[in-house]
Amino acid sequence: MRHLLGIEGLRRADIEALLDRAEAHLHGGPDASHVLRGKVVANLFFEDSTRTRTSFEMAAHALGAEVLNWTTAGSSVSKGETLLDTVRNIEATGPVALIIRHRSSGAPHLAAKHVRCAVINAGDGTHEHPSQALLDAFTLRRRWGRLDGRTMLIVGDILHSRVARSNLHCLTALGAKVVLCGPPTLLPPGLESLGAEVTSNLDAALPHADAVMCLRVQTERQSENFFPSAREFSRMFGINAARAERLKPEALVLHPGPMNRGVEIAPAVADGPRSVILEQVAHGVAVRRAILEEVCR
């Protein structure tokens, strides 16, 4: 695997190999601090990030690499430098991998066509967020063993969610059923053709879910109102304590972050016994170590 640009198109065997490698890292496994020793990994984040950038940095350090953390603040982007000029100039300094987050869908794919080093998509517009989907699947697999026959309910702003798209590809490849739920205005057409079940009836879907993932409303990507108010969205599609009671006794609650507490998820649910949200974060380092090890070998 030269790049990781998305989950779409990956075989089940490819996904499971990455998850198996992450499992080995999580358990200590053989010392991997030499894998990228003397090499540089570049984080190119054109959008803000907490969990993804931090865990990629920790993953690179764990493999022995130096890390270049680049952001648009203080860069020549403010002077009109293009994406391609930026990535070509950073590549010229010698990194073995570029980890790119960008507001435009397809930006990492474009970069990968013009550089010789590995490119990892850390989230591109509303398209994909492959490492997030992998760590979500990893979290579920560690709880369940296998995902075959399980049902994941993803609730919220599906229209603007790269996490929903990557999880749809990843979880269905691993044998799970994915149900996407949100206001009709936030459910793009064509999801059924990708293997999803689609509904706007959250209360009817909850009892059948083995896990539910809450997604925040991405107001930064919206140029119009897709629902009356945040309060109305929370009333219709927020996972609160009462709705959590409708889930199966052992059902799990996930969130890719950042959370808008009290909107898509209630604090009592986010911090409650069903929540594996911090497990997702903790697993991010092992999964991203596996990704870096794969594309940089």
Side-chain angles (χ1 to χ4, degrees):
M1 185 184 297
R2 184 184 174 198
H3 307 295
L4 180 62
L5 302 176
I7 299 295
E8 186 176 14
L10 292 185
R11 300 171 302 163
R12 177 171 182 156
D14 299 325
I15 296 170
E16 290 182 334
L18 285 169
L19 300 186
D20 289 344
R21 181 172 291 180
E23 188 71 42
H25 285 310
L26 195 67
H27 285 293
D31 178 29
S33 61
H34 65 284
V35 172
L36 296 180
R37 186 175 297 149
K39 298 179 180 179
V40 176
V41 170
N43 276 334
L44 275 63
F45 278 67
F46 294 80
E47 287 187 315
D48 293 339
S49 171
T50 298
R51 286 152 294 276
T52 304
R53 185 174 65 184
T54 300
S55 58
F56 264 121
E57 182 175 1
M58 293 179 68
H61 283 311
L63 296 173
E66 297 294 325
V67 179
L68 168 66
N69 280 316
W70 179 97
T71 63
T72 54
S75 77
S76 292
V77 170
S78 63
K79 302 176 183 178
E81 185 170 77
T82 66
L83 167 66
L84 285 182
D85 281 335
T86 297
V87 298
R88 283 168 170 163
N89 277 273
I90 297 296
E91 187 204 17
T93 66
V96 293
L98 303 178
I99 302 166
I100 299 177
R101 168 169 288 189
H102 201 280
R103 63 185 175 276
S104 298
S105 298
H109 301 69
L110 177 63
K113 293 178 180 178
H114 294 274
V115 298
R116 290 168 293 180
C117 64
V119 174
I120 298 170
N121 181 0
D124 62 325
T126 61
H127 178 230
E128 278 220 46
H129 193 346
S131 64
Q132 180 68 48
L134 288 168
L135 72 87
D136 294 337
F138 183 74
T139 300
L140 294 173
R141 194 177 78 156
R142 297 203 84 238
R143 285 290 189 127
W144 295 338
R146 295 178 63 85
L147 275 66
D148 296 274
R150 298 286 189 166
T151 297
M152 165 68 91
L153 173 63
I154 303 179
V155 185
D157 184 357
I158 307 298
L159 178 63
H160 301 99
S161 177
R162 54 197 177 207
V163 172
R165 284 166 179 76
S166 285
N167 264 292
L168 174 57
H169 295 306
C170 187
L171 298 178
T172 54
L174 294 174
K177 174 183 177 181
V178 176
V179 180
L180 301 177
C181 179
T185 52
L186 291 175
L187 291 170
L191 293 172
E192 292 91 345
S193 67
L194 298 176
E197 183 178 309
V198 180
T199 182
S200 290
N201 191 336
L202 175 59
D203 290 325
L206 285 170
H208 306 288
D210 295 296
V212 57
M213 176 180 288
C214 307
L215 300 176
R216 72 181 179 90
V217 176
Q218 299 191 39
T219 54
E220 73 275 15
R221 303 191 195 281
Q222 299 178 13
S223 57
E224 57 184 292
N225 293 326
F226 288 88
F227 48 86
S229 66
R231 182 176 180 179
E232 182 69 8
F233 177 89
S234 182
R235 185 179 72 83
M236 295 295 295
F237 296 99
I239 303 299
N240 53 32
R243 283 203 166 105
E245 287 298 315
R246 296 179 61 85
L247 291 165
K248 297 177 182 179
E250 302 301 319
L252 305 173
V253 173
L254 300 88
H255 198 304
M259 289 186 285
N260 288 325
R261 289 171 177 259
V263 182
E264 75 273 6
I265 188 168
V269 178
D271 302 325
R274 296 182 181 275
S275 174
V276 293
I277 294 171
L278 292 181
E279 289 180 34
Q280 292 172 266
V281 177
H283 294 155
V285 177
V287 169
R288 288 167 175 134
R289 281 177 68 179
I291 293 168
L292 281 168
E293 196 173 14
E294 172 64 25
V295 301
C296 295
R297 63 179 180 176

